[in-house]
Amino acid sequence: MKSPEHIDPIFEQLFSKINPKIANSFTDEQLKAIQRGFGSQFEARHSLDIRVSVPIPGLRFYLVLFAGSERRSQQRLQNEKGRYPLFNTGNIIFLTGFSTILLSCSFIILSFVWSSLSSISTSPYATSIPWIFDKSECEYTNRTWRDEKCWDDQHSPMF
């Protein structure tokens, strides 16, 4: 194969499957045009592009999630709707499992947050006032002098 300036590895892999006799018959101009046409399919980036191999023993499994602005034509959308239906057995099983896990995790997190919030006491309790050092000043502010400290029996934890 003749070599234009820069060759995409995927393009090179697919082009290597062409009979060498035919591949060598292309001019540099033809190769560049084919590469441009091929590469234009992969130039558009998605706003969200997640590709993950899922390590399940005994299975080769992967997950891909794309999101972005819709640029496909109406005809292409109709064609793909028939080829890739949303409601098939695999999708339904996955969505059911994913929803169950998401709801369970949400419930656990919310119950944890709720229990930690409800355990915070808002009722007043006694605490010493560190900036009052004598009994007369303590009693003047309607507090209690005990153990050489000034105690406030109405201290709010929200203070």
Side-chain angles (χ1 to χ4, degrees), residues 102-125:
L102 184 65
L103 287 171
S104 299
C105 290
S106 298
F107 177 75
I108 291 167
I109 290 169
L110 287 174
S111 63
F112 175 74
V113 168
W114 179 257
S115 69
S116 64
L117 287 177
S118 64
S119 68
I120 296 173
S121 174
T122 57
S123 58
Y125 60 91

Side-chain angles (χ1 to χ4, degrees), residues 49-84:
D49 186 346
I50 300 173
R51 302 162 195 245
V52 180
S53 291
V54 182
I56 298 176
L59 294 175
R60 292 179 52 98
F61 185 73
Y62 67 96
L63 178 67
V64 177
L65 180 62
F66 293 134
S69 59
E70 182 62 77
R71 292 185 291 250
R72 296 174 292 178
S73 68
Q74 287 297 322
Q75 182 166 356
R76 183 174 170 197
L77 286 170
Q78 287 299 321
N79 290 342
E80 288 184 359
K81 194 176 194 180
R83 289 177 57 198
Y84 307 109

Side-chain angles (χ1 to χ4, degrees), residues 6-144:
H6 171 69
I7 296 181
D8 184 313
I10 297 171
F11 173 76
E12 189 174 329
Q13 182 183 8
L14 292 173
F15 201 79
S16 70
K17 295 178 182 178
I18 296 175
N19 181 323
K21 196 176 201 180
I22 296 170
N24 287 327
S25 71
F26 289 115
T27 66
D28 283 341
E29 187 177 340
Q30 289 171 327
L31 284 173
K32 287 177 188 175
I34 292 169
Q35 190 175 4
R36 263 194 319 274
F38 178 80
S40 68
Q41 296 176 21
F42 301 101
E43 287 175 7
R45 289 279 186 213
H46 298 281
S47 301
L48 177 66
D49 186 346
I50 300 173
R51 302 162 195 245
V52 180
S53 291
V54 182
I56 298 176
L59 294 175
R60 292 179 52 98
F61 185 73
Y62 67 96
L63 178 67
V64 177
L65 180 62
F66 293 134
S69 59
E70 182 62 77
R71 292 185 291 250
R72 296 174 292 178
S73 68
Q74 287 297 322
Q75 182 166 356
R76 183 174 170 197
L77 286 170
Q78 287 299 321
N79 290 342
E80 288 184 359
K81 194 176 194 180
R83 289 177 57 198
Y84 307 109
L86 178 61
F87 296 108
N88 62 37
T89 307
N91 290 355
I92 291 171
I93 291 170
F94 172 78
L95 290 172
T96 302
F98 182 76
S99 298
T100 302
I101 291 169
L102 184 65
L103 287 171
S104 299
C105 290
S106 298
F107 177 75
I108 291 167
I109 290 169
L110 287 174
S111 63
F112 175 74
V113 168
W114 179 257
S115 69
S116 64
L117 287 177
S118 64
S119 68
I120 296 173
S121 174
T122 57
S123 58
Y125 60 91
T127 189
S128 68
I129 308 299
W131 59 87
I132 299 178
F133 301 104
D134 66 70
K135 181 178 179 180
S136 63
E137 187 179 352
C138 180
E139 291 173 348
Y140 176 75
T141 58
N142 295 322
R143 294 183 175 114
T144 308

